[in-house]
Amino acid sequence: MSPEWLLADGEPFVDGLVLSHPEQLARLRRACPEAVGASVVAGDPCFDRMLAALPHRDRFRRALGVRHGQRLVVLSSTWNPEGFFGSGDRDILPGLLPRLAAELPADGYRTAAVLHPNIWYGHGPGQIRAWLDEACRGGLALIDPVRGWRQAILAADAVVGDFGAVSYYAAALGVPVLIAADGRDKLDPEAPLASFVRQAPRLDPHGPLRDQVERLLAREHPRAAAAEGVTSVPGASATLLRRHFYSLMNLPEPSAPALLEPLPLPAYDPPRRTVMLRVRTRVDGADVMIERSTEQPYGAGGDTHVAVHEDTRDPGALEVADVIVRDGQPDDPRLGGWRGWTAEVLRRYPQCAMAVFVVGPDTCTVRTREGGVLRLSAGTGADVDPAAYASSLYAWLSAGGRVPQEPFTLRVHAAGHVHPVCVEPVVPQDPSAGGLTAHP
Protein backbone atom coordinates (compact mmCIF):
# COMPACT_ATOMS: atom_id res chain seq x y z
CA MET A 1 0.00 0.00 0.00
CA SER A 2 2.98 2.31 -0.25
CA PRO A 3 2.97 5.26 -2.70
CA GLU A 4 5.63 3.72 -4.97
CA TRP A 5 3.23 0.86 -5.72
CA LEU A 6 0.09 2.95 -6.16
CA LEU A 7 0.96 6.40 -7.55
CA ALA A 8 2.28 7.81 -10.82
CA ASP A 9 3.15 11.52 -10.82
CA GLY A 10 1.43 11.82 -7.46
CA GLU A 11 -1.89 10.35 -8.64
CA PRO A 12 -3.34 6.83 -8.48
CA PHE A 13 -2.69 5.03 -11.76
CA VAL A 14 -5.68 2.70 -11.25
CA ASP A 15 -9.39 3.42 -11.51
CA GLY A 16 -10.19 0.92 -8.78
CA LEU A 17 -8.05 -0.42 -5.95
CA VAL A 18 -9.87 -3.48 -4.57
CA LEU A 19 -9.58 -4.13 -0.83
CA SER A 20 -11.06 -7.08 1.03
CA HIS A 21 -11.56 -5.47 4.44
CA PRO A 22 -12.12 -1.98 5.96
CA GLU A 23 -9.00 -2.59 8.06
CA GLN A 24 -7.01 -2.29 4.83
CA LEU A 25 -8.71 0.99 4.03
CA ALA A 26 -7.61 2.39 7.41
CA ARG A 27 -4.01 1.37 6.72
CA LEU A 28 -4.22 2.78 3.19
CA ARG A 29 -5.40 6.10 4.59
CA ARG A 30 -2.28 6.25 6.77
CA ALA A 31 0.19 4.95 4.15
CA CYS A 32 -1.06 6.55 0.93
CA PRO A 33 -4.04 8.87 1.41
CA GLU A 34 -3.91 9.93 -2.27
CA ALA A 35 -5.18 6.45 -3.26
CA VAL A 36 -8.16 6.32 -0.90
CA GLY A 37 -10.53 7.81 -3.47
CA ALA A 38 -9.79 4.99 -5.91
CA SER A 39 -10.33 2.23 -3.35
CA VAL A 40 -13.32 -0.02 -2.89
CA VAL A 41 -13.97 -2.69 -0.25
CA ALA A 42 -15.28 -5.59 -2.29
CA GLY A 43 -14.26 -8.78 -0.48
CA ASP A 44 -12.08 -11.66 -1.68
CA PRO A 45 -13.31 -13.75 -4.63
CA CYS A 46 -10.54 -16.30 -4.09
CA PHE A 47 -11.67 -16.98 -0.53
CA ASP A 48 -15.33 -16.95 -1.57
CA ARG A 49 -14.63 -19.73 -4.09
CA MET A 50 -12.95 -21.73 -1.35
CA LEU A 51 -15.87 -21.24 1.04
CA ALA A 52 -18.29 -22.39 -1.66
CA ALA A 53 -16.18 -25.52 -2.26
CA LEU A 54 -15.98 -26.61 1.39
CA PRO A 55 -18.68 -29.31 0.91
CA HIS A 56 -16.39 -30.98 -1.67
CA ARG A 57 -13.42 -31.40 0.67
CA ASP A 58 -13.61 -35.20 0.63
CA ARG A 59 -13.56 -35.20 -3.18
CA PHE A 60 -10.45 -33.06 -3.22
CA ARG A 61 -8.80 -35.43 -0.74
CA ARG A 62 -9.67 -38.46 -2.86
CA ALA A 63 -8.29 -36.68 -5.95
CA LEU A 64 -4.91 -36.58 -4.18
CA GLY A 65 -5.17 -40.24 -3.21
CA VAL A 66 -5.64 -39.45 0.50
CA ARG A 67 -7.05 -42.54 2.15
CA HIS A 68 -9.16 -43.09 5.25
CA GLY A 69 -7.11 -42.25 8.32
CA GLN A 70 -4.34 -40.51 6.38
CA ARG A 71 -3.35 -36.93 7.14
CA LEU A 72 -2.59 -34.57 4.27
CA VAL A 73 0.30 -32.22 5.09
CA VAL A 74 0.69 -29.35 2.60
CA LEU A 75 3.99 -27.45 2.32
CA SER A 76 3.39 -23.90 1.15
CA SER A 77 5.84 -21.21 0.06
CA THR A 78 5.50 -17.65 -1.15
CA TRP A 79 7.93 -16.38 -3.78
CA ASN A 80 10.04 -14.08 -1.62
CA PRO A 81 13.66 -15.21 -1.02
CA GLU A 82 12.82 -15.33 2.70
CA GLY A 83 9.88 -17.66 2.01
CA PHE A 84 9.83 -21.34 2.91
CA PHE A 85 11.25 -22.39 -0.46
CA GLY A 86 13.98 -19.74 -0.23
CA SER A 87 14.37 -19.61 3.58
CA GLY A 88 16.92 -16.78 3.34
CA ASP A 89 20.29 -18.09 4.45
CA ARG A 90 18.84 -21.10 6.30
CA ASP A 91 17.81 -23.25 3.31
CA ILE A 92 15.27 -25.25 5.33
CA LEU A 93 13.29 -27.11 2.68
CA PRO A 94 16.01 -29.24 1.00
CA GLY A 95 16.88 -30.91 4.29
CA LEU A 96 13.27 -31.15 5.38
CA LEU A 97 11.88 -33.06 2.39
CA PRO A 98 13.82 -36.33 2.83
CA ARG A 99 13.13 -36.22 6.56
CA LEU A 100 9.39 -35.89 5.94
CA ALA A 101 9.49 -39.06 3.82
CA ALA A 102 11.55 -40.82 6.48
CA GLU A 103 9.62 -39.72 9.58
CA LEU A 104 6.01 -39.63 8.34
CA PRO A 105 4.72 -43.17 7.68
CA ALA A 106 3.56 -43.62 4.09
CA ASP A 107 0.17 -45.04 5.06
CA GLY A 108 -0.44 -42.43 7.75
CA TYR A 109 0.46 -39.31 5.80
CA ARG A 110 0.26 -37.80 2.32
CA THR A 111 2.37 -34.75 1.49
CA ALA A 112 1.91 -32.06 -1.15
CA ALA A 113 3.70 -28.82 -2.10
CA VAL A 114 2.01 -25.55 -3.07
CA LEU A 115 4.61 -23.17 -4.50
CA HIS A 116 3.82 -19.61 -5.55
CA PRO A 117 3.51 -19.23 -9.36
CA ASN A 118 6.49 -16.86 -9.37
CA ILE A 119 8.69 -19.67 -8.03
CA TRP A 120 7.66 -21.84 -10.98
CA TYR A 121 8.06 -19.08 -13.53
CA GLY A 122 11.21 -17.65 -12.01
CA HIS A 123 13.15 -20.93 -12.02
CA GLY A 124 11.19 -22.82 -14.70
CA PRO A 125 9.01 -25.93 -14.24
CA GLY A 126 11.86 -28.25 -15.31
CA GLN A 127 14.18 -26.92 -12.62
CA ILE A 128 11.50 -27.10 -9.92
CA ARG A 129 10.69 -30.70 -10.82
CA ALA A 130 14.38 -31.57 -10.87
CA TRP A 131 14.93 -30.09 -7.43
CA LEU A 132 11.91 -31.92 -6.01
CA ASP A 133 12.27 -35.16 -7.98
CA GLU A 134 13.46 -37.33 -5.09
CA ALA A 135 10.69 -36.01 -2.84
CA CYS A 136 8.09 -36.75 -5.54
CA ARG A 137 9.39 -40.31 -5.89
CA GLY A 138 8.89 -40.55 -2.14
CA GLY A 139 5.24 -39.55 -2.43
CA LEU A 140 5.18 -35.72 -2.58
CA ALA A 141 2.51 -34.22 -4.86
CA LEU A 142 3.39 -31.05 -6.76
CA ILE A 143 0.22 -28.96 -6.93
CA ASP A 144 -0.73 -26.84 -9.94
CA PRO A 145 0.16 -23.30 -8.78
CA VAL A 146 -2.81 -21.69 -10.53
CA ARG A 147 -5.67 -24.20 -10.80
CA GLY A 148 -5.12 -26.64 -7.94
CA TRP A 149 -3.75 -24.92 -4.83
CA ARG A 150 -7.11 -23.89 -3.34
CA GLN A 151 -8.37 -27.47 -3.51
CA ALA A 152 -5.19 -28.73 -1.83
CA ILE A 153 -5.62 -26.28 1.06
CA LEU A 154 -9.25 -27.28 1.46
CA ALA A 155 -8.18 -30.94 1.55
CA ALA A 156 -5.32 -30.39 4.01
CA ASP A 157 -5.16 -31.56 7.60
CA ALA A 158 -2.15 -29.34 8.27
CA VAL A 159 -0.09 -26.71 6.46
CA VAL A 160 3.61 -26.05 6.96
CA GLY A 161 4.03 -22.60 5.47
CA ASP A 162 5.42 -19.11 5.76
CA PHE A 163 4.24 -15.49 5.75
CA GLY A 164 2.44 -15.84 2.41
CA ALA A 165 -1.30 -15.55 1.89
CA VAL A 166 -1.78 -19.32 1.54
CA SER A 167 -0.92 -19.87 5.21
CA TYR A 168 -3.47 -17.21 6.19
CA TYR A 169 -6.15 -18.69 3.93
CA ALA A 170 -5.52 -22.09 5.52
CA ALA A 171 -5.91 -20.68 9.03
CA ALA A 172 -9.09 -18.88 7.97
CA LEU A 173 -10.49 -22.24 6.85
CA GLY A 174 -9.61 -23.81 10.20
CA VAL A 175 -6.56 -25.75 8.96
CA PRO A 176 -3.71 -25.94 11.52
CA VAL A 177 -0.58 -24.06 10.38
CA LEU A 178 3.09 -24.38 11.36
CA ILE A 179 5.24 -21.41 10.34
CA ALA A 180 8.60 -22.45 8.87
CA ALA A 181 9.70 -18.98 7.68
CA ASP A 182 8.25 -15.84 9.28
CA GLY A 183 9.59 -13.24 6.83
CA ARG A 184 10.75 -11.05 9.70
CA ASP A 185 10.41 -7.49 8.32
CA LYS A 186 8.55 -8.35 5.10
CA LEU A 187 5.06 -7.64 6.47
CA ASP A 188 3.29 -4.51 7.62
CA PRO A 189 3.33 -5.05 11.41
CA GLU A 190 -0.23 -3.70 11.62
CA ALA A 191 -1.61 -6.19 9.09
CA PRO A 192 -3.71 -9.13 10.37
CA LEU A 193 -1.40 -11.48 8.47
CA ALA A 194 1.58 -10.19 10.45
CA SER A 195 -0.29 -10.72 13.71
CA PHE A 196 -1.18 -14.25 12.64
CA VAL A 197 2.44 -15.07 11.74
CA ARG A 198 3.68 -13.75 15.10
CA GLN A 199 1.21 -15.90 17.04
CA ALA A 200 1.25 -19.13 14.99
CA PRO A 201 3.33 -22.09 16.22
CA ARG A 202 6.82 -22.38 14.75
CA LEU A 203 8.36 -25.36 13.00
CA ASP A 204 11.62 -26.52 14.55
CA PRO A 205 13.46 -27.81 11.45
CA HIS A 206 15.90 -29.75 13.61
CA GLY A 207 13.31 -31.38 15.89
CA PRO A 208 11.33 -34.60 15.24
CA LEU A 209 8.87 -33.74 12.49
CA ARG A 210 6.24 -36.36 13.24
CA ASP A 211 5.95 -35.20 16.86
CA GLN A 212 5.52 -31.59 15.76
CA VAL A 213 2.84 -32.43 13.20
CA GLU A 214 0.93 -34.61 15.66
CA ARG A 215 1.08 -31.94 18.37
CA LEU A 216 -0.21 -29.41 15.86
CA LEU A 217 -3.12 -31.65 14.88
CA ALA A 218 -4.02 -32.24 18.53
CA ARG A 219 -4.42 -28.50 19.27
CA GLU A 220 -7.57 -26.43 19.04
CA HIS A 221 -7.58 -24.19 15.96
CA PRO A 222 -10.42 -21.65 16.00
CA ARG A 223 -10.69 -20.02 12.60
CA ALA A 224 -12.73 -16.95 13.56
CA ALA A 225 -9.89 -14.42 13.86
CA ALA A 226 -8.17 -15.32 10.60
CA ALA A 227 -11.48 -15.68 8.74
CA GLU A 228 -12.58 -12.21 9.86
CA GLY A 229 -9.26 -10.74 8.69
CA VAL A 230 -9.45 -12.20 5.18
CA THR A 231 -12.71 -10.53 4.17
CA SER A 232 -15.38 -8.40 5.79
CA VAL A 233 -18.03 -9.55 3.30
CA PRO A 234 -17.70 -13.35 2.87
CA GLY A 235 -19.64 -14.66 -0.10
CA ALA A 236 -20.40 -11.19 -1.50
CA SER A 237 -17.33 -10.39 -3.64
CA ALA A 238 -18.90 -11.28 -7.00
CA THR A 239 -21.84 -8.92 -6.39
CA LEU A 240 -19.66 -6.07 -5.08
CA LEU A 241 -17.00 -6.37 -7.77
CA ARG A 242 -19.49 -6.43 -10.64
CA ARG A 243 -21.31 -3.45 -9.21
CA HIS A 244 -18.03 -1.51 -9.10
CA PHE A 245 -16.97 -2.58 -12.61
CA TYR A 246 -20.27 -1.43 -14.13
CA SER A 247 -20.15 1.85 -12.24
CA LEU A 248 -16.68 2.49 -13.71
CA MET A 249 -18.09 1.80 -17.19
CA ASN A 250 -21.18 3.92 -16.42
CA LEU A 251 -23.41 1.06 -17.54
CA PRO A 252 -26.45 -0.58 -15.89
CA GLU A 253 -25.75 -3.91 -14.20
CA PRO A 254 -27.25 -7.10 -15.65
CA SER A 255 -30.29 -8.39 -13.79
CA ALA A 256 -28.88 -11.92 -13.40
CA PRO A 257 -26.98 -12.62 -10.17
CA ALA A 258 -23.20 -12.24 -10.18
CA LEU A 259 -21.62 -15.67 -9.70
CA LEU A 260 -18.10 -17.04 -9.35
CA GLU A 261 -16.71 -20.04 -11.20
CA PRO A 262 -16.72 -23.08 -8.88
CA LEU A 263 -13.40 -24.73 -8.12
CA PRO A 264 -12.85 -27.65 -10.54
CA LEU A 265 -12.27 -31.19 -9.32
CA PRO A 266 -8.56 -31.93 -9.93
CA ALA A 267 -7.40 -34.99 -11.84
CA TYR A 268 -6.80 -38.13 -9.80
CA ASP A 269 -3.20 -37.98 -8.57
CA PRO A 270 -2.43 -40.74 -6.07
CA PRO A 271 1.09 -41.13 -4.66
CA ARG A 272 3.46 -43.31 -6.68
CA ARG A 273 6.36 -44.15 -4.40
CA THR A 274 9.32 -45.52 -6.32
CA VAL A 275 11.91 -45.09 -3.57
CA MET A 276 12.88 -48.03 -1.38
CA LEU A 277 10.46 -48.48 1.52
CA ARG A 278 11.42 -50.11 4.78
CA VAL A 279 8.37 -51.90 6.12
CA ARG A 280 8.08 -52.51 9.85
CA THR A 281 5.52 -55.13 10.89
CA ARG A 282 4.26 -57.04 13.91
CA VAL A 283 2.08 -60.11 13.47
CA ASP A 284 -0.49 -61.42 15.93
CA GLY A 285 -2.56 -64.20 14.41
CA ALA A 286 -4.44 -62.76 11.43
CA ASP A 287 -3.67 -59.20 12.56
CA VAL A 288 -0.69 -57.40 11.05
CA MET A 289 0.52 -54.00 12.31
CA ILE A 290 2.38 -52.22 9.51
CA GLU A 291 4.31 -48.98 9.08
CA ARG A 292 6.13 -48.05 5.86
CA SER A 293 8.71 -45.26 5.46
CA THR A 294 11.99 -44.57 3.68
CA GLU A 295 14.02 -45.13 6.86
CA GLN A 296 13.57 -47.49 9.78
CA PRO A 297 13.30 -45.55 13.06
CA TYR A 298 16.29 -46.18 15.30
CA GLY A 299 15.46 -48.77 17.94
CA ALA A 300 12.04 -49.54 16.45
CA GLY A 301 10.60 -52.93 17.34
CA GLY A 302 9.02 -55.52 15.08
CA ASP A 303 10.30 -57.20 11.96
CA THR A 304 11.44 -55.27 8.91
CA HIS A 305 11.49 -56.05 5.21
CA VAL A 306 12.24 -54.04 2.07
CA ALA A 307 9.62 -53.22 -0.57
CA VAL A 308 10.62 -51.59 -3.87
CA HIS A 309 8.68 -50.41 -6.90
CA GLU A 310 10.08 -51.81 -10.14
CA ASP A 311 10.42 -48.26 -11.50
CA THR A 312 12.95 -47.30 -8.84
CA ARG A 313 15.91 -45.19 -9.94
CA ASP A 314 18.23 -47.55 -8.06
CA PRO A 315 18.60 -50.97 -9.73
CA GLY A 316 20.55 -52.17 -6.71
CA ALA A 317 17.44 -51.75 -4.57
CA LEU A 318 15.70 -54.44 -6.63
CA GLU A 319 18.54 -56.85 -5.90
CA VAL A 320 17.87 -56.69 -2.15
CA ALA A 321 14.08 -56.27 -2.17
CA ASP A 322 11.92 -58.81 -0.38
CA VAL A 323 8.83 -57.49 -2.15
CA ILE A 324 8.81 -55.94 -5.65
CA VAL A 325 5.76 -53.95 -6.73
CA ARG A 326 4.34 -52.70 -10.00
CA ASP A 327 1.05 -51.04 -10.93
CA GLY A 328 -0.79 -51.22 -14.23
CA GLN A 329 -3.49 -52.89 -16.27
CA PRO A 330 -3.71 -56.62 -15.50
CA ASP A 331 -3.64 -57.56 -19.19
CA ASP A 332 -0.89 -55.13 -20.31
CA PRO A 333 0.71 -56.97 -23.28
CA ARG A 334 4.03 -55.19 -22.79
CA LEU A 335 4.44 -56.92 -19.44
CA GLY A 336 2.92 -60.22 -20.42
CA GLY A 337 -0.04 -59.46 -18.18
CA TRP A 338 0.14 -59.76 -14.41
CA ARG A 339 0.91 -63.48 -14.67
CA GLY A 340 3.88 -63.02 -16.95
CA TRP A 341 5.26 -60.08 -14.99
CA THR A 342 5.08 -61.72 -11.55
CA ALA A 343 6.75 -64.89 -12.85
CA GLU A 344 9.47 -62.90 -14.59
CA VAL A 345 10.27 -60.87 -11.46
CA LEU A 346 10.73 -63.97 -9.33
CA ARG A 347 13.01 -65.50 -11.97
CA ARG A 348 15.11 -62.34 -12.34
CA TYR A 349 15.52 -61.51 -8.65
CA PRO A 350 16.28 -64.60 -6.54
CA GLN A 351 16.25 -62.55 -3.32
CA CYS A 352 12.65 -61.46 -3.94
CA ALA A 353 10.04 -63.50 -2.07
CA MET A 354 6.91 -61.85 -3.46
CA ALA A 355 5.99 -60.07 -6.70
CA VAL A 356 3.02 -57.70 -6.41
CA PHE A 357 0.98 -56.36 -9.33
CA VAL A 358 -1.40 -53.56 -8.27
CA VAL A 359 -4.36 -53.44 -10.65
CA GLY A 360 -6.49 -50.78 -8.96
CA PRO A 361 -6.88 -48.53 -5.92
CA ASP A 362 -7.97 -51.44 -3.73
CA THR A 363 -6.78 -54.64 -5.46
CA CYS A 364 -3.53 -56.43 -6.23
CA THR A 365 -2.37 -59.87 -7.29
CA VAL A 366 0.72 -61.50 -5.77
CA ARG A 367 2.91 -64.46 -6.60
CA THR A 368 5.04 -65.96 -3.83
CA ARG A 369 8.36 -67.75 -4.07
CA GLU A 370 6.58 -70.90 -2.86
CA GLY A 371 4.32 -70.82 -5.91
CA GLY A 372 1.17 -69.37 -4.42
CA VAL A 373 -0.83 -66.95 -6.55
CA LEU A 374 -3.29 -64.81 -4.60
CA ARG A 375 -5.65 -61.92 -5.13
CA LEU A 376 -5.84 -59.33 -2.35
CA SER A 377 -8.77 -56.94 -2.25
CA ALA A 378 -10.25 -54.45 0.20
CA GLY A 379 -12.93 -55.76 2.50
CA THR A 380 -15.71 -53.59 3.94
CA GLY A 381 -14.20 -50.46 5.45
CA ALA A 382 -10.67 -51.08 4.16
CA ASP A 383 -8.87 -48.19 2.52
CA VAL A 384 -5.10 -48.51 2.30
CA ASP A 385 -2.54 -48.87 -0.49
CA PRO A 386 -2.76 -52.41 -1.96
CA ALA A 387 1.04 -52.61 -1.74
CA ALA A 388 0.57 -52.41 2.03
CA TYR A 389 -1.82 -55.38 1.79
CA ALA A 390 0.91 -57.35 0.06
CA SER A 391 3.60 -56.39 2.60
CA SER A 392 1.23 -57.43 5.38
CA LEU A 393 0.71 -60.80 3.71
CA TYR A 394 4.47 -61.18 3.32
CA ALA A 395 4.92 -60.50 7.04
CA TRP A 396 2.18 -62.99 7.91
CA LEU A 397 3.77 -65.70 5.76
CA SER A 398 7.22 -64.93 7.21
CA ALA A 399 5.80 -65.33 10.72
CA GLY A 400 4.76 -68.92 9.97
CA GLY A 401 1.61 -68.53 7.90
CA ARG A 402 1.12 -70.90 4.98
CA VAL A 403 -0.02 -69.99 1.48
CA PRO A 404 -3.80 -70.33 1.87
CA GLN A 405 -5.82 -72.78 -0.16
CA GLU A 406 -9.12 -71.17 0.84
CA PRO A 407 -10.17 -67.52 1.07
CA PHE A 408 -9.51 -65.81 4.40
CA THR A 409 -9.38 -62.32 5.89
CA LEU A 410 -6.17 -60.61 6.95
CA ARG A 411 -6.61 -57.62 9.26
CA VAL A 412 -4.14 -54.86 8.39
CA HIS A 413 -3.54 -52.23 11.08
CA ALA A 414 -2.36 -48.98 9.44
CA ALA A 415 -2.94 -45.24 9.91
CA GLY A 416 -4.80 -45.84 13.18
CA HIS A 417 -7.43 -48.09 11.60
CA VAL A 418 -8.03 -51.79 10.98
CA HIS A 419 -8.42 -52.69 7.31
CA PRO A 420 -9.91 -56.12 6.51
CA VAL A 421 -8.24 -57.56 3.41
CA CYS A 422 -9.73 -60.49 1.49
CA VAL A 423 -7.06 -63.01 0.45
CA GLU A 424 -8.21 -65.39 -2.29
CA PRO A 425 -6.20 -68.12 -4.02
CA VAL A 426 -6.25 -67.77 -7.79
CA VAL A 427 -7.16 -70.93 -9.68
CA PRO A 428 -4.57 -71.77 -12.39
CA GLN A 429 -5.68 -70.25 -15.66
CA ASP A 430 -7.25 -72.50 -18.28
CA PRO A 431 -5.23 -71.85 -21.46
CA SER A 432 -8.46 -71.88 -23.43
CA ALA A 433 -9.97 -69.10 -21.32
CA GLY A 434 -8.96 -65.50 -20.74
CA GLY A 435 -8.54 -63.55 -17.49
CA LEU A 436 -8.06 -64.85 -13.97
CA THR A 437 -10.41 -66.82 -11.78
CA ALA A 438 -10.53 -66.56 -8.00
CA HIS A 439 -11.12 -69.62 -5.86
CA PRO A 440 -14.89 -70.12 -5.45
Side-chain angles (χ1 to χ4, degrees):
M1 295 191 191
S2 56
E4 58 264 33
W5 284 93
L6 299 176
L7 305 180
D9 298 324
E11 298 291 331
F13 64 85
V14 294
D15 297 303
L17 175 62
V18 180
L19 308 176
S20 68
H21 199 285
E23 172 275 328
Q24 296 167 5
L25 182 60
R27 283 193 287 130
L28 178 67
R29 189 171 284 115
R30 292 193 296 272
C32 186
E34 300 91 337
V36 169
S39 67
V40 57
V41 176
D44 186 332
C46 175
F47 191 62
D48 284 354
R49 293 177 75 197
M50 296 171 81
L51 290 176
L54 272 170
H56 304 311
R57 179 175 186 263
D58 286 345
R59 296 181 185 178
F60 300 149
R61 289 172 67 81
R62 288 192 292 268
L64 283 168
V66 179
R67 295 179 177 270
H68 183 59
Q70 274 190 313
R71 269 75 176 272
L72 173 62
V73 178
V74 174
L75 312 176
S76 169
S77 179
T78 190
W79 63 284
N80 194 286
E82 283 75 26
F84 189 16
F85 197 75
S87 307
D89 57 355
R90 294 186 296 161
D91 213 16
I92 297 172
L93 197 60
L96 200 65
L97 288 170
R99 288 183 53 215
L100 282 170
E103 296 183 34
L104 300 184
D107 299 304
Y109 291 88
R110 173 81 161 113
T111 56
V114 170
L115 305 180
H116 192 284
N118 284 358
I119 296 176
W120 286 89
Y121 303 139
H123 297 289
Q127 182 63 73
I128 295 297
R129 294 186 185 281
W131 279 334
L132 299 181
D133 176 68
E134 183 177 359
C136 291
R137 289 186 284 113
L140 179 76
L142 281 182
I143 304 300
D144 186 304
V146 176
R147 290 174 288 274
W149 69 269
R150 300 171 187 84
Q151 297 90 319
I153 296 304
L154 285 165
D157 293 290
V159 168
V160 181
D162 55 19
F163 56 95
V166 172
S167 299
Y168 198 46
Y169 279 134
L173 292 165
V175 180
V177 178
L178 270 179
I179 297 296
D182 59 14
R184 297 182 179 89
D185 301 325
K186 294 296 180 181
L187 298 175
D188 179 347
E190 297 182 6
L193 174 57
S195 175
F196 161 74
V197 170
R198 286 193 297 269
Q199 297 172 18
R202 291 292 189 274
L203 174 76
D204 176 4
H206 307 295
L209 299 177
R210 183 174 179 179
D211 289 349
Q212 293 183 71
V213 170
E214 291 182 350
R215 285 199 303 270
L216 179 73
L217 292 169
R219 294 175 53 172
E220 291 288 333
H221 297 277
R223 72 181 191 179
E228 290 173 1
V230 169
T231 174
S232 59
V233 284
S237 63
T239 298
L240 294 172
L241 285 169
R242 189 177 72 175
R243 181 180 304 159
H244 184 65
F245 297 157
Y246 274 83
S247 70
L248 290 175
M249 295 186 292
N250 197 28
L251 292 173
E253 263 194 272
S255 58
L259 302 172
L260 296 172
E261 188 75 18
L263 294 181
L265 182 62
Y268 183 50
D269 183 24
R272 192 169 186 266
R273 297 180 177 88
T274 59
V275 296
M276 177 190 291
L277 291 178
R278 300 187 184 278
V279 185
R280 186 159 56 97
T281 59
R282 185 164 54 85
V283 179
D284 182 11
D287 291 86
V288 181
M289 281 56 75
I290 182 170
E291 193 169 276
R292 302 184 302 158
S293 62
T294 59
E295 297 289 341
Q296 182 180 3
Y298 180 76
D303 296 315
T304 302
H305 67 267
V306 172
V308 181
H309 196 286
E310 191 187 30
D311 286 343
T312 179
R313 290 280 184 89
D314 180 8
L318 295 170
E319 301 290 345
V320 299
D322 301 294
V323 176
I324 296 178
V325 181
R326 183 167 193 93
D327 51 275
Q329 295 299 314
D331 56 353
D332 189 332
R334 299 169 300 171
L335 303 172
W338 68 266
R339 292 178 181 273
W341 180 85
T342 54
E344 176 191 343
V345 164
L346 293 180
R347 285 195 304 270
R348 180 172 296 174
Y349 301 105
Q351 172 67 23
C352 177
M354 179 179 288
V356 182
F357 198 98
V358 177
V359 297
D362 58 4
T363 307
C364 66
T365 304
V366 306
R367 187 186 297 271
T368 69
R369 178 66 62 185
E370 293 76 17
V373 181
L374 307 162
R375 175 198 280 166
L376 281 59
S377 57
T380 302
D383 187 20
V384 73
D385 182 357
Y389 303 166
S391 276
S392 300
L393 178 63
Y394 170 86
W396 181 79
L397 292 171
S398 299
R402 303 186 65 176
V403 174
Q405 302 303 311
E406 299 288 338
F408 84 106
T409 298
L410 193 66
R411 291 183 292 274
V412 177
H413 296 245
H417 295 270
V418 180
H419 306 267
V421 176
C422 303
V423 182
E424 302 173 275
V426 175
V427 174
Q429 187 178 23
D430 181 348
S432 64
L436 63 86
T437 306
H439 195 286

